[in-house]
Amino acid sequence: MHDNFVNETPPQERGSLPLRLPKLEKEFDRNGIDECVVTSSSETFNAWLTRSSADLRMLIDGNPEGPYPMLAWPWFNTVFGRDGIITALECLWMAPRIAEGVLKYLAETQATSEEPERDAEPGKIIHEMRRGEMSVTGEVPFARYYGSVDSTPLFVLLQVLLPSHPQSLVPQGNLAAHQMPIAWIDTYGDRDKTVSSNMRSAPPKD
């Protein structure tokens, strides 16, 4: 059974297309996907680029998390840490705002305490997030699940590669939110001191 993403937009905010169009156009411009436009002499290649841009925009536009690409369409349509970071890395040269949105959201949702049932440890970056009924009621641990060994190192990599680091990503008094993932790599992520990331999941409950 899939714990599907649900539409949380209040009915009064959905409205008709003419009423929503100005807001959609503003979001369209804000995501910055079209700040870099690539064309060629090949109509086929241009059509492929146009479709790819449209697909990427479909994953981003209207998300409550901001410019964060939702993954696992059509079943889940939700946040995956590693997938969002890899998408941001691949688009960094043409749409750095995606990287900014991904870093900001993942910094805000990183683990702050040890919760074995969620594989959560301080500084660890989220693997998966769902809002369906099973997650909300605690039947599955995926409301915020941290069972990934590579999301945290990839988060740090994206931080390093982002050409500029806007102040909006590091609110005053919250610099630790971007330093904690590095501390996780050195401690929880390297328990055997082999200078390579490893992870130990919590044993299954009886």
Side-chain angles (χ1 to χ4, degrees):
M1 179 182 294
H2 292 294
D3 188 31
N4 293 344
F5 176 85
V6 294
N7 186 353
E8 295 182 339
T9 304
Q12 65 272 18
E13 294 183 12
R14 296 174 193 171
S16 62
L17 181 58
L19 295 176
R20 296 190 62 204
L21 189 57
K23 182 179 179 181
L24 291 173
E25 289 177 339
K26 185 177 180 180
E27 291 180 354
F28 190 92
D29 294 336
R30 185 188 65 212
N31 289 338
I33 294 175
D34 294 328
E35 290 180 356
C36 175
V37 179
V38 179
T39 60
S40 74
S41 58
S42 169
E43 292 185 5
T44 301
F45 185 66
N46 290 339
W48 176 77
L49 290 173
T50 300
R51 176 57 187 268
S52 298
S53 177
D55 287 347
L56 181 60
R57 188 175 296 285
M58 178 185 66
L59 296 175
I60 293 175
D61 281 350
N63 295 340
E65 294 79 9
Y68 194 111
M70 296 290 198
L71 280 304
W73 275 71
W75 296 112
F76 299 113
N77 184 28
T78 191
V79 167
F80 285 87
R82 172 178 54 210
D83 302 68
I85 295 169
I86 291 175
T87 302
L89 286 168
E90 292 178 340
C91 297
L92 190 56
W93 65 278
M94 57 165 282
R97 291 187 189 178
I98 297 175
E100 294 172 5
V102 168
L103 286 174
K104 183 176 185 296
Y105 185 74
L106 293 180
E108 292 172 351
T109 57
Q110 67 183 277
T112 57
S113 61
E114 292 189 18
E115 296 182 64
E117 66 277 10
R118 299 180 188 273
D119 283 325
E121 296 155 342
K124 198 173 185 183
I125 297 300
I126 202 167
H127 167 62
E128 181 178 351
M129 182 175 182
R130 302 189 200 170
R131 297 186 180 86
E133 180 179 347
M134 295 178 68
S135 294
V136 172
T137 59
E139 292 185 51
V140 294
F142 302 125
R144 286 190 184 183
Y145 179 58
Y146 295 86
S148 170
V149 70
D150 52 4
S151 293
T152 307
L154 286 170
F155 174 88
V156 175
L157 174 64
L158 183 59
Q159 277 189 289
V160 172
L161 294 181
L162 187 62
S164 60
H165 203 75
Q167 184 66 23
S168 60
L169 290 182
V170 189
Q172 291 185 358
N174 197 32
L175 184 60
H178 291 264
Q179 295 174 335
M180 286 174 61
I182 298 177
W184 179 88
I185 294 173
D186 289 337
T187 53
Y188 296 96
D190 188 21
R191 295 176 188 272
D192 55 5
K193 302 305 177 184
T194 58
V195 198
S196 61
S197 291
N198 49 76
M199 188 185 78
R200 215 169 32 189
S201 293
K205 295 181 179 180
D206 295 332

